[in-house]
Amino acid sequence: MTSQAPTRAYRRLSVEERRSQLLEAALSLFATRAPEDISLDDVAEAAGVSRPLVYRYFPGGKQQLYEAALRSAAEELEHCFAEPPDGPLTRRLANALDRYLAFVDQHDAGFSALLQGGSVVETSRTTAIVDGVRRAAAEHILSHLAVEAPGNRLRMTVRMWITAVEAASLIWLDEEKEPPLDELRDWLVEQFVACLVATAARDEQTAAVVRAALTLESADGPMGSLARRVLPVVGDAAHLL
Amino acid sequence: MTSQAPTRAYRRLSVEERRSQLLEAALSLFATRAPEDISLDDVAEAAGVSRPLVYRYFPGGKQQLYEAALRSAAEELEHCFAEPPDGPLTRRLANALDRYLAFVDQHDAGFSALLQGGSVVETSRTTAIVDGVRRAAAEHILSHLAVEAPGNRLRMTVRMWITAVEAASLIWLDEEKEPPLDELRDWLVEQFVACLVATAARDEQTAAVVRAALTLESADGPMGSLARRVLPVVGDAAHLL
């Protein structure tokens, strides 16, 4: 009986469906364990197929399967960033972060293994895939900032924040997912606002972006809340003005 | 004549001196070219010794030499962070950043190759060495913030900024070292202040750190300058309060 299920499945699935099924099985394994600890047998077992079948679809073995799974995860991640260009910027950013952090939460072990580096499956190709996701994230954010030709400072600020979000995600996984996701999300949005305001202090283009963004924010939104909490912290610094 | 110089040098140098000489030669090669493009012959030639001699000191070949060179660069980097605990925090941070950015400037190609990942010489050991430098940087900063037991939020903020500085360094190398070093340094200090203030808005420990730090700052220092440049950017946001 046990050998019959896969045989029946062989007939039912198209090449594309079979490939997707194997990728999905691989992705859920790579998501919860380090690539070092996963064999093609594990993938075959998780997908309910034979090892030779996995090799037929991925003749390059585990490395090829890992890269294909990573590419499919990267596509999924890039979908997270899509957000309609309406409403306050902080709300749009919070929505995208919600989806991104849910992805991190679901793919925790794989996410850590991938970004911490030094993994046996890491190659210049896997690095390029990850860099592609970072670039896509930066493009999405810059498009929401609605700048025709973003300058060096603005682009650098966005990319620095994206790296900081990655670092925060890794630390968050490492610290047993503390603080809770919605608090982490709000905090990361506030960090973005802070970095943007600091850059605005030395870059006219960024200053224009911040001024335009502020007009869309309201007192009962995240920016109002941040402003009211920041004032008591810096309130005693009149000697700096 | 040409073969005599190395022979003479063989006699003159102690084992430790010879090892240092080889490491220095390797480091300056790894600093200006990607590890992929460097052979042991190049290292031997740069040090003015024979290839077998390099192998005698580093029987593990290029990988071992690379890791030893990386370890020595990591030590050099950690020295950059040492700064006496006196005066305004922004000045201390600017001093340490000056040394760090000078290191990045000098080791540009090697720095990029190392941190961009996917290099053939990257292993879990090289990753651990780089992580050690990051941890040392975080410890230095936290010690300057003079907190007995830094909490999750404060530590996370410091580590996020360190990652952002790394990202900024890579982008800076990629953008033909623009903006100039002193401007990049001042901007990174301002980003640190901004991130710390944003975290202070939701963390009492960080708020206490910011308040104490502000009393050491003056109107003609970087914090005064930042405050005066930020006010006109956020000045129209009274509707948020």
Side-chain angles (χ1 to χ4, degrees), chain A residues 116-119 122-124 126-127 131 134 152-157 159-161 163-165 167-169 171-172 174-175 178-180 183-184 186-188 190-191 194-202 206-207 210-211 214-220 223-237 239-241, chain B residues 116-119 122-124 126-127 131 134 152-157 159-161 163-165 167-169 171-172 174-175 178-180 183-184 186-188 190-191 194-202 206-207 210-211 214-220 223-237 239-241:
Chain A
Q116 257 152 12
S119 164
E122 193 183 342
T123 63
S124 54
T126 62
T127 309
D131 276 343
R134 289 180 185 128
N152 183 299
R153 301 259 180 328
L154 185 54
R155 280 185 295 113
M156 208 151 155
T157 307
R159 288 170 66 184
M160 283 166 67
W161 178 78
T163 321
V165 169
S169 306
I171 299 170
W172 180 75
D174 216 43
E175 307 242 335
E178 272 298 318
E183 200 181 321
L184 179 62
D186 290 344
W187 183 26
L188 291 173
E190 290 166 5
Q191 290 284 327
C195 294
L196 211 58
V197 168
T199 297
R202 54 170 64 238
T206 309
V210 170
R211 282 196 197 96
L214 285 177
T215 62
L216 299 174
E217 303 283 336
S218 63
D220 57 353
M223 276 299 287
S225 158
L226 176 62
R228 287 190 299 276
R229 282 176 288 126
V230 161
L231 281 181
V233 178
V234 297
D236 293 338
H239 64 287
L240 295 181
L241 297 178
Chain B
Q116 259 153 9
S119 164
E122 194 183 343
T123 63
S124 54
T126 62
T127 309
D131 276 341
R134 289 180 185 130
N152 181 300
R153 301 262 180 326
L154 186 54
R155 280 185 293 113
M156 207 151 155
T157 307
R159 288 170 66 186
M160 282 166 68
W161 179 77
T163 321
V165 168
S169 306
I171 298 169
W172 180 74
D174 218 41
E175 308 242 336
E178 272 298 321
E183 200 181 322
L184 178 63
D186 290 345
W187 182 28
L188 291 172
E190 290 166 6
Q191 290 284 327
C195 293
L196 211 59
V197 168
T199 298
R202 53 170 66 237
T206 309
V210 170
R211 283 195 196 95
L214 286 177
T215 63
L216 299 174
E217 303 283 337
S218 62
D220 57 353
M223 276 298 287
S225 159
L226 177 63
R228 286 189 301 275
R229 282 177 288 127
V230 160
L231 282 181
V233 177
V234 297
D236 292 336
H239 65 286
L240 296 179
L241 299 177

Side-chain angles (χ1 to χ4, degrees), chain A residues 77-103 140-141 144 161 181-182 184-186 188-189 222:
Chain A
L77 246 179
E78 289 181 23
H79 283 305
C80 293
F81 305 144
E83 176 70 22
D86 311 304
L89 263 179
T90 51
R91 195 199 298 150
R92 300 184 223 167
L93 197 56
N95 287 344
L97 270 174
D98 265 338
R99 290 186 291 265
Y100 168 81
L101 292 172
F103 180 95
H140 273 281
I141 294 174
H144 282 277
W161 178 78
L181 266 191
D182 54 345
L184 179 62
R185 173 205 60 207
D186 290 344
L188 291 173
V189 169

Side-chain angles (χ1 to χ4, degrees), chain B residues 65-89:
Chain B
L65 185 59
Y66 180 76
E67 289 181 18
L70 183 57
R71 230 170 261 123
S72 120
E75 272 169 40
E76 196 185 317
L77 246 181
E78 289 181 22
H79 284 304
C80 292
F81 306 145
E83 176 69 23
D86 311 307
L89 265 178

Side-chain angles (χ1 to χ4, degrees), chain B residues 7-91:
Chain B
T7 318
R8 235 191 277 134
Y10 284 6
R11 264 184 256 116
R12 210 187 295 133
L13 299 184
S14 73
V15 169
E16 217 20 74
E17 285 167 335
R18 173 66 71 195
R19 199 176 179 276
S20 299
Q21 184 215 10
L22 293 178
L23 275 185
E24 218 167 283
L27 202 52
S28 64
L29 285 175
F30 285 128
T32 49
R33 278 190 273 159
E36 285 79 338
D37 303 330
I38 294 166
S39 70
L40 277 192
D41 282 326
D42 296 331
V43 176
E45 196 191 320
V49 302
S50 68
R51 199 171 191 276
L53 184 80
V54 179
Y55 261 107
R56 203 181 315 148
Y57 278 80
F58 299 97
K62 189 163 98 172
Q63 186 67 33
Q64 191 192 2
L65 185 59
Y66 180 76
E67 289 181 18
L70 183 57
R71 230 170 261 123
S72 120
E75 272 169 40
E76 196 185 317
L77 246 181
E78 289 181 22
H79 284 304
C80 292
F81 306 145
E83 176 69 23
D86 311 307
L89 265 178
T90 50
R91 195 199 298 150

Side-chain angles (χ1 to χ4, degrees), chain A residues 45-92:
Chain A
E45 196 191 320
V49 302
S50 67
R51 198 170 193 278
L53 184 79
V54 179
Y55 261 107
R56 204 181 314 149
Y57 278 79
F58 299 97
K62 190 163 94 173
Q63 187 66 35
Q64 191 193 1
L65 186 58
Y66 180 76
E67 289 181 17
L70 183 57
R71 231 170 263 123
S72 119
E75 271 169 39
E76 197 184 320
L77 246 179
E78 289 181 23
H79 283 305
C80 293
F81 305 144
E83 176 70 22
D86 311 304
L89 263 179
T90 51
R91 195 199 298 150
R92 300 184 223 167

Side-chain angles (χ1 to χ4, degrees), chain B residues 102-173:
Chain B
F103 180 95
V104 173
D105 191 16
Q106 278 155 31
H107 298 81
D108 43 14
F111 186 86
S112 294
L114 178 65
L115 291 183
Q116 259 153 9
S119 164
V120 290
V121 290
E122 194 183 343
T123 63
S124 54
R125 281 190 305 277
T126 62
T127 309
I129 297 170
V130 175
D131 276 341
V133 175
R134 289 180 185 130
R135 255 198 312 280
E139 290 309 316
H140 272 281
I141 293 175
L142 288 169
S143 80
H144 282 277
L145 298 181
V147 192
E148 274 288 322
N152 181 300
R153 301 262 180 326
L154 186 54
R155 280 185 293 113
M156 207 151 155
T157 307
V158 168
R159 288 170 66 186
M160 282 166 68
W161 179 77
I162 288 169
T163 321
V165 168
E166 260 180 48
S169 306
L170 286 173
I171 298 169
W172 180 74
L173 291 175

